[in-house]
Coordinates of all heavy atoms in Angstrom, one line a residue:
L40 N -67.8 -13.1 3.0 CA -67.1 -11.9 3.2 C -65.8 -12.2 4.1 O -64.8 -11.6 3.8 CB -68.0 -10.9 3.9 CG -67.4 -9.5 4.2 CD1 -66.9 -8.8 2.9 CD2 -68.4 -8.6 4.9
A41 N -66.0 -13.0 5.1 CA -64.9 -13.4 6.0 C -63.7 -14.0 5.2 O -62.5 -13.7 5.5 CB -65.3 -14.3 7.1
Q42 N -64.0 -14.8 4.1 CA -62.9 -15.3 3.3 C -62.2 -14.3 2.5 O -61.0 -14.3 2.4 CB -63.5 -16.4 2.3 CG -64.0 -17.6 3.0 CD -64.6 -18.6 2.0 OE1 -65.1 -18.2 0.9 NE2 -64.7 -19.8 2.4
V43 N -62.9 -13.2 2.1 CA -62.3 -12.2 1.3 C -61.4 -11.3 2.1 O -60.3 -11.0 1.7 CB -63.4 -11.3 0.6 CG1 -62.8 -10.1 -0.1 CG2 -64.2 -12.1 -0.4
I44 N -61.8 -10.9 3.3 CA -61.0 -10.0 4.1 C -60.1 -10.8 5.1 O -59.3 -10.1 5.8 CB -61.9 -9.0 4.9 CG1 -62.9 -9.7 5.8 CG2 -62.6 -8.1 3.9 CD1 -63.7 -8.8 6.7
G45 N -60.3 -12.1 5.2 CA -59.4 -12.9 6.0 C -59.7 -13.0 7.5 O -58.9 -13.5 8.3
R46 N -60.8 -12.4 7.9 CA -61.2 -12.5 9.3 C -62.7 -12.3 9.5 O -63.3 -11.7 8.6 CB -60.4 -11.6 10.2 CG -60.4 -10.1 9.7 CD -59.4 -9.3 10.5 NE -59.4 -8.0 9.9 CZ -59.2 -6.9 10.6 NH1 -59.1 -6.9 11.9 NH2 -59.2 -5.7 10.0
E47 N -63.2 -12.9 10.5 CA -64.7 -12.8 10.8 C -65.0 -11.6 11.6 O -64.5 -11.4 12.7 CB -65.1 -14.1 11.6 CG -66.5 -14.3 11.8 CD -67.3 -14.8 10.6 OE1 -66.6 -15.6 9.8 OE2 -68.4 -14.5 10.4
P48 N -65.9 -10.8 11.1 CA -66.3 -9.6 11.9 C -67.1 -10.0 13.1 O -67.9 -11.0 13.1 CB -67.2 -8.8 10.9 CG -67.6 -9.7 9.9 CD -66.6 -10.8 9.8
S49 N -66.9 -9.3 14.2 CA -67.7 -9.6 15.4 C -69.0 -8.8 15.4 O -70.0 -9.2 16.0 CB -66.9 -9.2 16.7 OG -66.5 -7.8 16.6
S50 N -69.1 -7.7 14.7 CA -70.4 -7.0 14.4 C -70.2 -6.1 13.2 O -69.1 -5.9 12.7 CB -70.7 -6.1 15.7 OG -69.8 -5.1 15.8
W51 N -71.3 -5.6 12.7 CA -71.3 -4.7 11.6 C -72.5 -3.8 11.6 O -73.5 -4.1 12.2 CB -71.2 -5.5 10.2 CG -72.4 -6.3 9.9 CD1 -73.5 -5.8 9.2 CD2 -72.7 -7.6 10.2 NE1 -74.5 -6.8 9.1 CE2 -74.0 -7.9 9.7 CE3 -72.0 -8.6 10.9 CZ2 -74.5 -9.2 9.8 CZ3 -72.6 -9.9 11.0 CH2 -73.8 -10.1 10.5
Q52 N -72.3 -2.7 10.9 CA -73.4 -1.8 10.7 C -73.5 -1.5 9.2 O -72.5 -1.5 8.5 CB -73.2 -0.4 11.4 CG -73.1 -0.5 12.8 CD -72.6 0.8 13.5 OE1 -72.0 1.6 12.8 NE2 -73.0 1.0 14.7
E53 N -74.7 -1.4 8.7 CA -75.0 -1.2 7.3 C -75.8 0.1 7.0 O -76.7 0.3 7.8 CB -75.7 -2.4 6.8 CG -76.0 -2.5 5.3 CD -76.6 -3.8 4.9 OE1 -76.6 -4.8 5.7 OE2 -77.2 -3.8 3.8
K54 N -75.4 0.8 6.0 CA -76.1 2.1 5.7 C -76.2 2.2 4.2 O -75.2 2.2 3.5 CB -75.3 3.3 6.2 CG -76.0 4.6 5.9 CD -75.2 5.8 6.4 CE -76.0 7.1 6.0 NZ -75.2 8.2 6.3
Q55 N -77.4 2.3 3.7 CA -77.6 2.5 2.3 C -77.2 3.9 1.9 O -77.6 4.8 2.5 CB -79.1 2.3 1.9 CG -79.3 2.4 0.4 CD -80.7 2.3 -0.1 OE1 -81.6 2.8 0.6 NE2 -81.0 1.7 -1.2
L56 N -76.3 3.9 0.8 CA -75.9 5.2 0.3 C -76.7 5.7 -0.9 O -77.0 6.8 -1.0 CB -74.4 5.1 -0.1 CG -73.4 4.7 1.0 CD1 -72.0 4.5 0.4 CD2 -73.4 5.7 2.1
A57 N -77.1 4.7 -1.8 CA -77.8 5.1 -2.9 C -78.5 3.9 -3.6 O -77.8 2.8 -3.7 CB -76.9 5.8 -4.0
P58 N -79.7 4.0 -4.1 CA -80.3 2.9 -4.9 C -79.6 3.0 -6.3 O -79.4 4.1 -6.8 CB -81.8 3.3 -4.9 CG -81.8 4.7 -4.5 CD -80.6 5.1 -3.8
I59 N -79.4 1.8 -6.9 CA -78.8 1.8 -8.2 C -79.8 2.1 -9.3 O -80.9 1.6 -9.3 CB -78.2 0.4 -8.4 CG1 -77.1 0.1 -7.4 CG2 -77.7 0.2 -9.9 CD1 -76.5 -1.2 -7.5
L60 N -79.4 3.0 -10.1 CA -80.1 3.5 -11.3 C -81.3 4.4 -10.9 O -82.1 4.8 -11.8 CB -80.5 2.4 -12.2 CG -79.4 1.6 -12.9 CD1 -79.9 0.5 -13.7 CD2 -78.5 2.5 -13.7
A61 N -81.5 4.8 -9.7 CA -82.6 5.7 -9.3 C -82.4 7.1 -9.9 O -83.4 7.7 -10.3 CB -82.7 5.8 -7.8
S62 N -81.2 7.5 -10.1 CA -80.9 8.8 -10.7 C -81.4 9.0 -12.1 O -81.5 10.1 -12.6 CB -79.4 9.2 -10.6 OG -78.7 8.3 -11.4
I63 N -81.6 7.9 -12.8 CA -82.1 8.0 -14.2 C -83.5 7.6 -14.3 O -84.0 7.2 -15.4 CB -81.2 7.2 -15.2 CG1 -81.2 5.7 -14.9 CG2 -79.8 7.8 -15.2 CD1 -80.5 4.9 -16.0
G64 N -84.2 7.6 -13.2 CA -85.7 7.3 -13.2 C -86.0 5.8 -13.1 O -87.2 5.4 -13.4
E65 N -85.1 5.0 -12.8 CA -85.4 3.5 -12.7 C -85.9 3.1 -11.3 O -86.1 2.0 -11.0 CB -84.2 2.7 -13.1 CG -83.9 2.7 -14.5 CD -85.0 2.1 -15.4 OE1 -85.6 1.2 -15.0 OE2 -85.2 2.7 -16.5
G66 N -86.0 4.1 -10.4 CA -86.6 3.8 -9.1 C -85.7 3.0 -8.1 O -86.2 2.6 -7.1
G67 N -84.5 2.8 -8.5 CA -83.6 2.0 -7.6 C -83.9 0.5 -7.6 O -83.5 -0.2 -6.7
D68 N -84.6 0.0 -8.6 CA -85.1 -1.4 -8.6 C -84.0 -2.3 -9.0 O -84.2 -3.5 -9.2 CB -86.2 -1.5 -9.6 CG -87.5 -0.9 -9.1 OD1 -87.6 -0.7 -7.9 OD2 -88.4 -0.6 -9.9
Y69 N -82.7 -1.9 -9.2 CA -81.6 -2.7 -9.6 C -80.7 -3.0 -8.5 O -79.7 -3.6 -8.7 CB -80.9 -2.1 -10.8 CG -81.7 -2.3 -12.1 CD1 -82.6 -1.3 -12.5 CD2 -81.5 -3.4 -12.9 CE1 -83.3 -1.5 -13.7 CE2 -82.2 -3.6 -14.1 CZ -83.1 -2.6 -14.4 OH -83.8 -2.8 -15.6
G70 N -80.9 -2.6 -7.3 CA -80.1 -2.9 -6.2 C -79.7 -1.6 -5.4 O -80.4 -0.6 -5.5
E71 N -78.6 -1.7 -4.7 CA -78.2 -0.6 -3.9 C -76.7 -0.5 -3.7 O -76.0 -1.5 -3.8 CB -78.9 -0.6 -2.5 CG -78.5 -1.8 -1.7 CD -79.3 -1.9 -0.4 OE1 -80.3 -1.2 -0.3 OE2 -78.9 -2.7 0.5
I72 N -76.2 0.7 -3.3 CA -74.8 0.8 -2.9 C -74.9 1.1 -1.4 O -75.6 1.9 -0.9 CB -74.1 2.0 -3.7 CG1 -74.1 1.7 -5.2 CG2 -72.7 2.2 -3.1 CD1 -73.6 2.8 -6.0
T73 N -74.1 0.3 -0.6 CA -74.2 0.3 0.8 C -72.8 0.4 1.4 O -71.8 -0.1 0.9 CB -74.8 -1.1 1.3 OG1 -76.1 -1.2 0.7 CG2 -75.0 -1.1 2.8
R74 N -72.7 1.1 2.5 CA -71.5 1.2 3.3 C -71.6 0.2 4.4 O -72.6 0.2 5.2 CB -71.2 2.5 3.9 CG -70.0 2.5 4.9 CD -69.7 3.9 5.4 NE -68.9 4.6 4.4 CZ -69.2 5.8 3.9 NH1 -70.2 6.5 4.4 NH2 -68.4 6.3 3.0
L75 N -70.6 -0.7 4.5 CA -70.6 -1.7 5.6 C -69.4 -1.3 6.6 O -68.3 -1.1 6.1 CB -70.3 -3.1 5.1 CG -71.4 -3.8 4.3 CD1 -70.9 -5.2 3.9 CD2 -72.6 -3.9 5.1
H76 N -69.7 -1.1 7.8 CA -68.7 -0.9 8.8 C -68.6 -2.2 9.6 O -69.5 -2.6 10.3 CB -69.1 0.3 9.8 CG -68.1 0.5 10.9 ND1 -67.0 1.2 10.7 CD2 -68.1 0.1 12.1 CE1 -66.3 1.2 11.8 NE2 -67.0 0.5 12.7
L77 N -67.4 -2.8 9.5 CA -67.1 -4.0 10.2 C -66.2 -3.9 11.4 O -65.2 -3.2 11.3 CB -66.5 -5.0 9.2 CG -67.2 -5.2 7.9 CD1 -66.3 -6.1 7.0 CD2 -68.5 -5.8 8.1
D78 N -66.6 -4.4 12.5 CA -65.8 -4.4 13.7 C -65.3 -5.8 14.0 O -66.0 -6.8 13.6 CB -66.6 -4.0 14.9 CG -67.0 -2.5 14.9 OD1 -66.0 -1.7 14.7 OD2 -68.1 -2.1 15.0
F79 N -64.1 -5.9 14.6 CA -63.5 -7.2 14.8 C -63.1 -7.3 16.3 O -62.8 -6.3 16.9 CB -62.3 -7.4 13.9 CG -62.6 -7.3 12.4 CD1 -62.5 -6.1 11.8 CD2 -63.0 -8.4 11.7 CE1 -62.8 -5.9 10.5 CE2 -63.4 -8.3 10.4 CZ -63.3 -7.0 9.7
A80 N -63.0 -8.5 16.8 CA -62.6 -8.8 18.1 C -61.1 -8.3 18.3 O -60.8 -7.8 19.3 CB -62.7 -10.2 18.5
Q81 N -60.3 -8.5 17.3 CA -59.0 -8.0 17.3 C -58.7 -7.2 16.0 O -59.1 -7.6 14.9 CB -58.0 -9.2 17.4 CG -58.1 -10.0 18.7 CD -57.2 -11.1 18.7 OE1 -56.4 -11.3 17.8 NE2 -57.3 -11.9 19.8
G82 N -57.9 -6.2 16.1 CA -57.6 -5.4 14.9 C -58.5 -4.3 14.7 O -59.5 -4.1 15.3
N83 N -58.1 -3.4 13.7 CA -58.9 -2.2 13.4 C -60.2 -2.5 12.6 O -60.2 -3.5 11.9 CB -58.0 -1.3 12.5 CG -56.8 -0.8 13.3 OD1 -56.9 -0.6 14.5 ND2 -55.7 -0.5 12.6
P84 N -61.2 -1.7 12.8 CA -62.4 -1.9 12.0 C -62.1 -1.6 10.5 O -61.1 -0.9 10.1 CB -63.4 -0.9 12.6 CG -62.5 0.1 13.3 CD -61.3 -0.6 13.7
I85 N -63.0 -2.0 9.6 CA -62.9 -1.8 8.2 C -64.3 -1.2 7.7 O -65.3 -1.7 8.1 CB -62.6 -3.1 7.4 CG1 -61.3 -3.7 7.8 CG2 -62.7 -2.9 5.9 CD1 -61.0 -5.0 7.2
D86 N -64.2 -0.2 6.8 CA -65.4 0.2 6.1 C -65.3 -0.2 4.7 O -64.2 -0.1 4.0 CB -65.5 1.8 6.1 CG -66.0 2.3 7.5 OD1 -66.7 1.6 8.1 OD2 -65.6 3.4 7.9
L87 N -66.3 -0.8 4.1 CA -66.4 -1.3 2.7 C -67.6 -0.6 2.0 O -68.6 -0.4 2.7 CB -66.5 -2.8 2.7 CG -65.5 -3.6 3.3 CD1 -66.0 -5.1 3.3 CD2 -64.2 -3.5 2.6
I88 N -67.4 -0.4 0.8 CA -68.5 0.1 -0.1 C -68.9 -1.2 -0.9 O -68.1 -1.7 -1.6 CB -68.2 1.3 -1.0 CG1 -67.7 2.4 -0.1 CG2 -69.4 1.6 -1.8 CD1 -68.7 3.0 0.8
V89 N -70.2 -1.5 -0.8 CA -70.7 -2.7 -1.5 C -71.8 -2.4 -2.5 O -72.7 -1.6 -2.2 CB -71.3 -3.7 -0.4 CG1 -71.8 -4.9 -1.1 CG2 -70.2 -4.1 0.6
K90 N -71.7 -2.9 -3.6 CA -72.7 -2.7 -4.7 C -73.4 -4.0 -4.8 O -72.9 -5.0 -5.2 CB -72.0 -2.3 -6.0 CG -73.0 -1.9 -7.1 CD -72.3 -1.4 -8.3 CE -73.1 -0.7 -9.2 NZ -72.4 -0.2 -10.4
R91 N -74.7 -4.0 -4.4 CA -75.5 -5.2 -4.5 C -76.4 -5.1 -5.7 O -77.2 -4.1 -5.8 CB -76.4 -5.3 -3.3 CG -75.7 -5.6 -2.0 CD -76.6 -5.8 -0.9 NE -75.9 -5.9 0.4 CZ -76.4 -5.7 1.5 NH1 -77.7 -5.3 1.6 NH2 -75.7 -5.8 2.6
I92 N -76.3 -6.0 -6.6 CA -77.1 -6.0 -7.8 C -78.3 -7.0 -7.6 O -78.1 -8.1 -7.2 CB -76.3 -6.5 -9.0 CG1 -75.1 -5.6 -9.2 CG2 -77.2 -6.4 -10.3 CD1 -75.3 -4.2 -9.3
N93 N -79.5 -6.4 -7.7 CA -80.7 -7.2 -7.6 C -81.7 -6.7 -8.7 O -82.6 -5.9 -8.4 CB -81.3 -7.0 -6.2 CG -82.5 -7.9 -6.0 OD1 -82.7 -8.9 -6.7 ND2 -83.4 -7.5 -5.1
P94 N -81.5 -7.2 -9.9 CA -82.3 -6.7 -11.0 C -83.8 -6.9 -10.8 O -84.2 -7.8 -10.2 CB -81.9 -7.5 -12.2 CG -80.5 -8.1 -11.8 CD -80.6 -8.3 -10.3
K95 N -84.5 -5.9 -11.3 CA -86.0 -6.0 -11.1 C -86.5 -7.1 -12.1 O -85.9 -7.4 -13.1 CB -86.6 -4.7 -11.4 CG -86.5 -4.1 -12.8 CD -87.3 -2.8 -12.9 CE -86.7 -1.8 -13.8 NZ -87.5 -0.6 -13.8
P96 N -87.6 -7.7 -11.7 CA -88.1 -8.8 -12.5 C -88.7 -8.3 -13.8 O -89.0 -7.1 -13.9 CB -89.3 -9.4 -11.6 CG -89.6 -8.3 -10.6 CD -88.4 -7.5 -10.5
M97 N -88.7 -9.2 -14.8 CA -89.2 -8.8 -16.1 C -90.6 -8.2 -16.1 O -90.9 -7.3 -16.9 CB -89.2 -10.1 -17.0 CG -87.9 -10.6 -17.3 SD -86.8 -9.5 -18.2 CE -87.5 -9.5 -19.8
S98 N -91.4 -8.6 -15.1 CA -92.8 -8.0 -15.0 C -92.8 -6.5 -14.7 O -93.8 -5.9 -14.8 CB -93.6 -8.8 -13.9 OG -93.0 -8.7 -12.7
K99 N -91.6 -6.0 -14.2 CA -91.6 -4.6 -13.8 C -90.8 -3.7 -14.9 O -90.7 -2.5 -14.6 CB -90.9 -4.4 -12.5 CG -91.7 -4.8 -11.3 CD -90.9 -4.5 -10.0 CE -91.8 -4.0 -9.0 NZ -91.0 -3.5 -7.8
I100 N -90.4 -4.3 -16.0 CA -89.6 -3.5 -16.9 C -90.4 -2.7 -17.9 O -90.0 -1.9 -18.6 CB -88.5 -4.3 -17.7 CG1 -89.2 -5.3 -18.6 CG2 -87.5 -4.9 -16.7 CD1 -88.2 -5.9 -19.6
G101 N -91.7 -3.0 -17.9 CA -92.6 -2.3 -18.8 C -92.6 -3.0 -20.2 O -91.8 -3.7 -20.6
P102 N -93.7 -2.7 -20.9 CA -93.9 -3.4 -22.2 C -93.0 -2.8 -23.3 O -92.5 -1.6 -23.2 CB -95.4 -3.1 -22.5 CG -95.6 -1.8 -21.8 CD -94.8 -1.8 -20.6
G103 N -92.8 -3.5 -24.3 CA -92.1 -3.0 -25.5 C -90.6 -3.4 -25.6 O -90.0 -3.7 -24.6
K104 N -90.2 -3.4 -26.8 CA -88.8 -3.7 -27.1 C -87.8 -2.7 -26.5 O -86.7 -3.1 -26.1 CB -88.6 -3.8 -28.6 CG -87.2 -4.4 -29.0 CD -87.2 -4.8 -30.5 CE -85.9 -5.3 -30.9 NZ -85.7 -6.7 -30.6
I105 N -88.1 -1.4 -26.5 CA -87.2 -0.4 -25.9 C -86.9 -0.7 -24.4 O -85.8 -0.7 -24.0 CB -87.8 1.0 -26.1 CG1 -87.7 1.3 -27.6 CG2 -87.0 2.0 -25.3 CD1 -88.4 2.7 -28.0
N106 N -88.0 -1.0 -23.7 CA -87.8 -1.3 -22.2 C -87.0 -2.6 -22.0 O -86.1 -2.6 -21.2 CB -89.1 -1.4 -21.5 CG -89.8 0.0 -21.4 OD1 -89.1 1.0 -21.1 ND2 -91.1 0.0 -21.5
A107 N -87.3 -3.6 -22.9 CA -86.5 -4.8 -22.7 C -85.0 -4.6 -23.1 O -84.1 -5.2 -22.5 CB -87.1 -5.9 -23.7
T108 N -84.8 -3.8 -24.1 CA -83.4 -3.5 -24.5 C -82.7 -2.7 -23.4 O -81.5 -3.0 -23.1 CB -83.4 -2.7 -25.8 OG1 -84.0 -3.5 -26.8 CG2 -82.0 -2.3 -26.3
K109 N -83.3 -1.7 -22.8 CA -82.7 -1.0 -21.7 C -82.4 -1.9 -20.6 O -81.3 -1.8 -20.0 CB -83.7 0.1 -21.2 CG -83.6 1.4 -22.0 CD -84.6 2.5 -21.5 CE -84.9 2.5 -20.0 NZ -85.8 3.6 -19.6
H110 N -83.3 -2.7 -20.2 CA -83.1 -3.7 -19.1 C -81.9 -4.6 -19.4 O -81.0 -4.8 -18.6 CB -84.3 -4.5 -18.9 CG -84.2 -5.6 -17.8 ND1 -84.2 -5.3 -16.5 CD2 -84.2 -6.9 -17.9 CE1 -84.1 -6.4 -15.8 NE2 -84.1 -7.4 -16.7
H111 N -81.8 -5.1 -20.6 CA -80.7 -6.0 -21.0 C -79.4 -5.2 -21.0 O -78.4 -5.8 -20.5 CB -81.0 -6.6 -22.4 CG -79.8 -7.4 -22.9 ND1 -79.6 -8.7 -22.4 CD2 -78.9 -7.1 -23.8 CE1 -78.5 -9.2 -23.0 NE2 -78.1 -8.3 -23.9
R112 N -79.4 -4.0 -21.4 CA -78.2 -3.2 -21.4 C -77.7 -2.9 -20.0 O -76.5 -3.0 -19.7 CB -78.4 -1.8 -22.1 CG -77.2 -1.1 -22.4 CD -77.4 0.2 -23.2 NE -78.5 0.1 -24.1 CZ -79.5 1.1 -24.1 NH1 -79.4 2.2 -23.4 NH2 -80.5 1.0 -25.0
F113 N -78.6 -2.6 -19.0 CA -78.3 -2.5 -17.6 C -77.6 -3.7 -17.1 O -76.5 -3.7 -16.5 CB -79.5 -2.1 -16.8 CG -80.1 -0.8 -17.0 CD1 -81.4 -0.6 -16.9 CD2 -79.3 0.3 -17.4 CE1 -82.0 0.7 -17.1 CE2 -79.8 1.6 -17.6 CZ -81.2 1.8 -17.5
L114 N -78.2 -4.9 -17.4 CA -77.7 -6.1 -16.8 C -76.3 -6.4 -17.4 O -75.4 -6.9 -16.8 CB -78.6 -7.3 -17.1 CG -80.0 -7.2 -16.5 CD1 -80.9 -8.4 -16.8 CD2 -79.9 -7.0 -15.0
Q115 N -76.2 -6.2 -18.7 CA -74.9 -6.4 -19.4 C -73.8 -5.5 -18.8 O -72.7 -5.9 -18.6 CB -75.0 -6.2 -20.9 CG -73.8 -6.6 -21.7 CD -73.5 -8.1 -21.6 OE1 -74.4 -8.9 -21.6 NE2 -72.2 -8.4 -21.5
G116 N -74.2 -4.3 -18.5 CA -73.2 -3.3 -17.9 C -72.7 -3.8 -16.5 O -71.6 -3.7 -16.2
F117 N -73.6 -4.4 -15.7 CA -73.2 -5.0 -14.4 C -72.3 -6.2 -14.6 O -71.3 -6.3 -13.9 CB -74.4 -5.5 -13.6 CG -75.4 -4.4 -13.3 CD1 -76.7 -4.6 -13.4 CD2 -74.9 -3.1 -12.8 CE1 -77.6 -3.6 -13.0 CE2 -75.8 -2.1 -12.5 CZ -77.2 -2.3 -12.6
I118 N -72.5 -7.0 -15.6 CA -71.6 -8.1 -15.9 C -70.2 -7.6 -16.3 O -69.2 -8.2 -15.9 CB -72.3 -9.0 -17.0 CG1 -73.5 -9.7 -16.4 CG2 -71.3 -10.1 -17.5 CD1 -74.4 -10.4 -17.4
V119 N -70.2 -6.6 -17.2 CA -68.9 -6.1 -17.6 C -68.2 -5.5 -16.4 O -66.9 -5.7 -16.3 CB -69.1 -5.0 -18.7 CG1 -67.9 -4.2 -19.0 CG2 -69.6 -5.7 -20.0
E120 N -68.9 -4.7 -15.6 CA -68.2 -4.1 -14.4 C -67.6 -5.2 -13.5 O -66.5 -5.1 -13.0 CB -69.2 -3.3 -13.6 CG -68.6 -2.6 -12.4 CD -69.7 -1.8 -11.7 OE1 -70.9 -1.9 -11.9 OE2 -69.2 -1.0 -10.8
A121 N -68.4 -6.3 -13.2 CA -67.9 -7.4 -12.4 C -66.7 -8.0 -13.0 O -65.7 -8.4 -12.3 CB -69.0 -8.4 -12.1
A122 N -66.7 -8.2 -14.3 CA -65.6 -8.8 -15.0 C -64.3 -8.0 -14.9 O -63.2 -8.5 -14.7 CB -65.9 -9.1 -16.5
F123 N -64.5 -6.7 -15.0 CA -63.4 -5.8 -14.9 C -62.7 -5.9 -13.5 O -61.5 -6.1 -13.4 CB -63.8 -4.3 -15.0 CG -62.7 -3.3 -14.6 CD1 -61.7 -3.0 -15.4 CD2 -62.8 -2.7 -13.3 CE1 -60.7 -2.1 -15.0 CE2 -61.8 -1.9 -12.9 CZ -60.7 -1.6 -13.8
Y124 N -63.5 -5.9 -12.4 CA -62.9 -6.0 -11.1 C -62.3 -7.4 -10.9 O -61.2 -7.5 -10.3 CB -64.0 -5.7 -10.0 CG -64.4 -4.3 -10.0 CD1 -65.8 -3.9 -10.1 CD2 -63.5 -3.3 -9.9 CE1 -66.1 -2.6 -10.1 CE2 -63.9 -1.9 -9.9 CZ -65.2 -1.6 -10.0 OH -65.6 -0.3 -10.0
T125 N -62.9 -8.4 -11.4 CA -62.4 -9.8 -11.2 C -61.0 -9.9 -12.0 O -60.1 -10.5 -11.5 CB -63.4 -10.8 -11.8 OG1 -64.6 -10.7 -11.1 CG2 -62.8 -12.2 -11.7
T126 N -60.9 -9.3 -13.1 CA -59.8 -9.4 -14.0 C -58.6 -8.5 -13.5 O -57.5 -8.9 -13.5 CB -60.1 -9.0 -15.4 OG1 -61.1 -9.9 -15.9 CG2 -58.9 -9.1 -16.3
F127 N -58.9 -7.3 -13.0 CA -57.9 -6.3 -12.8 C -57.6 -6.0 -11.3 O -56.7 -5.2 -11.0 CB -58.2 -5.0 -13.6 CG -58.1 -5.2 -15.0 CD1 -59.2 -5.2 -15.8 CD2 -56.8 -5.3 -15.6 CE1 -59.1 -5.4 -17.2 CE2 -56.7 -5.5 -17.0 CZ -57.9 -5.5 -17.8
V128 N -58.4 -6.5 -10.4 CA -58.2 -6.1 -9.0 C -56.8 -6.5 -8.5 O -56.2 -5.7 -7.8 CB -59.3 -6.7 -8.1 CG1 -59.1 -8.1 -7.9 CG2 -59.3 -5.9 -6.8
D129 N -56.2 -7.6 -8.9 CA -54.9 -8.0 -8.5 C -53.8 -7.0 -9.1 O -52.9 -6.7 -8.4 CB -54.6 -9.4 -8.8 CG -55.4 -10.4 -8.0 OD1 -55.8 -10.0 -6.9 OD2 -55.6 -11.5 -8.5
D130 N -54.0 -6.7 -10.3 CA -53.1 -5.7 -11.0 C -53.1 -4.4 -10.3 O -52.1 -3.7 -10.1 CB -53.4 -5.6 -12.4 CG -53.2 -6.9 -13.2 OD1 -52.4 -7.7 -12.8 OD2 -53.8 -7.0 -14.3
L131 N -54.3 -3.9 -9.9 CA -54.4 -2.6 -9.2 C -53.7 -2.7 -7.9 O -53.0 -1.8 -7.5 CB -55.9 -2.2 -9.1 CG -56.6 -1.9 -10.3 CD1 -58.1 -1.8 -10.0 CD2 -56.1 -0.7 -11.0
A132 N -54.0 -3.8 -7.1 CA -53.3 -3.9 -5.8 C -51.8 -4.0 -5.9 O -51.1 -3.4 -5.0 CB -53.9 -5.2 -5.1
A133 N -51.3 -4.5 -7.0 CA -49.8 -4.6 -7.2 C -49.2 -3.3 -7.3 O -48.0 -3.1 -6.9 CB -49.5 -5.5 -8.4
V134 N -49.9 -2.3 -7.7 CA -49.4 -0.9 -7.8 C -50.0 0.0 -6.7 O -50.0 1.2 -6.9 CB -49.5 -0.3 -9.2 CG1 -48.6 -1.1 -10.2 CG2 -51.0 -0.3 -9.6
E135 N -50.5 -0.6 -5.7 CA -51.1 0.1 -4.5 C -52.3 0.9 -4.9 O -52.5 2.0 -4.3 CB -50.0 0.8 -3.8 CG -48.9 -0.1 -3.3 CD -47.8 0.7 -2.5 OE1 -48.0 1.9 -2.2 OE2 -46.8 0.0 -2.1
L136 N -53.1 0.5 -5.8 CA -54.4 1.1 -6.1 C -55.5 0.2 -5.6 O -55.4 -1.0 -5.6 CB -54.6 1.4 -7.6 CG -53.6 2.4 -8.2 CD1 -53.8 2.4 -9.7 CD2 -53.8 3.8 -7.6
V137 N -56.6 0.8 -5.1 CA -57.7 0.0 -4.6 C -58.9 0.2 -5.5 O -59.2 1.3 -6.0 CB -58.1 0.6 -3.2 CG1 -59.3 -0.2 -2.7 CG2 -56.9 0.4 -2.3
A138 N -59.5 -0.9 -5.9 CA -60.7 -0.9 -6.7 C -61.8 -0.4 -5.9 O -62.0 -0.7 -4.7 CB -61.0 -2.3 -7.2
P139 N -62.7 0.4 -6.5 CA -63.8 1.0 -5.7 C -64.8 -0.1 -5.3 O -64.9 -1.2 -5.9 CB -64.5 2.0 -6.6 CG -63.9 1.7 -8.0 CD -62.7 0.9 -7.8

C-alpha cells in the first residue's frame, strides 16, 4: 500500500462497509468492501475504499453444475473488474477522474 500511495501510514483504522455478494444470498463469503482511514506523520490523512476478494472454497459452493457455474461466473467477474482498473486507471486520472 505504501508503494501505491507513495508514503508509509503511521496508523490506520479499518471499517467493514459490506460483505461481497451478501445482498444476493451468498452470505458475504467472497470478501468484503472496507474503508481504510490512513494517518501519516506528515501530510493529510487519506480515506480509501478497498475491495478484498476472498472467494469461498469449493467445498462451500454447494453441489451441482449450477452452483459451480455461478461460482465461476463470480470469480470471472472479479477478474474482469480488476483488469478494467489496471487498464484504465491511468486514463481516468489523466482526465481527473478517480476509479472507485
Side-chain angles (χ1 to χ4, degrees):
L40 184 58
Q42 290 177 340
V43 173
I44 60 175
R46 51 191 174 144
E47 185 79 30
S49 56
S50 66
W51 69 87
Q52 296 172 335
E53 184 174 343
K54 179 182 178 189
Q55 183 186 36
L56 299 176
I59 295 176
L60 297 178
S62 64
I63 62 168
E65 289 298 324
D68 291 337
Y69 283 89
E71 64 186 13
I72 298 172
T73 303
R74 172 177 280 129
L75 292 178
H76 176 82
L77 307 174
D78 290 307
F79 302 93
Q81 297 179 4
N83 294 329
I85 296 174
D86 284 327
L87 301 172
I88 303 299
V89 177
K90 188 174 195 177
R91 293 184 186 156
I92 306 302
N93 184 21
K95 61 178 153 181
M97 293 298 287
S98 61
K99 286 185 141 187
I100 66 166
K104 188 167 178 84
I105 291 174
N106 288 322
T108 300
K109 275 179 34 178
H110 176 72
H111 177 74
R112 192 175 333 129
F113 292 148
L114 297 181
Q115 189 63 37
F117 297 138
I118 291 168
V119 168
E120 182 180 12
F123 168 80
Y124 291 125
T125 301
T126 303
F127 293 107
V128 73
D129 291 337
D130 294 336
L131 293 172
V134 293
E135 299 182 9
L136 294 174
V137 178

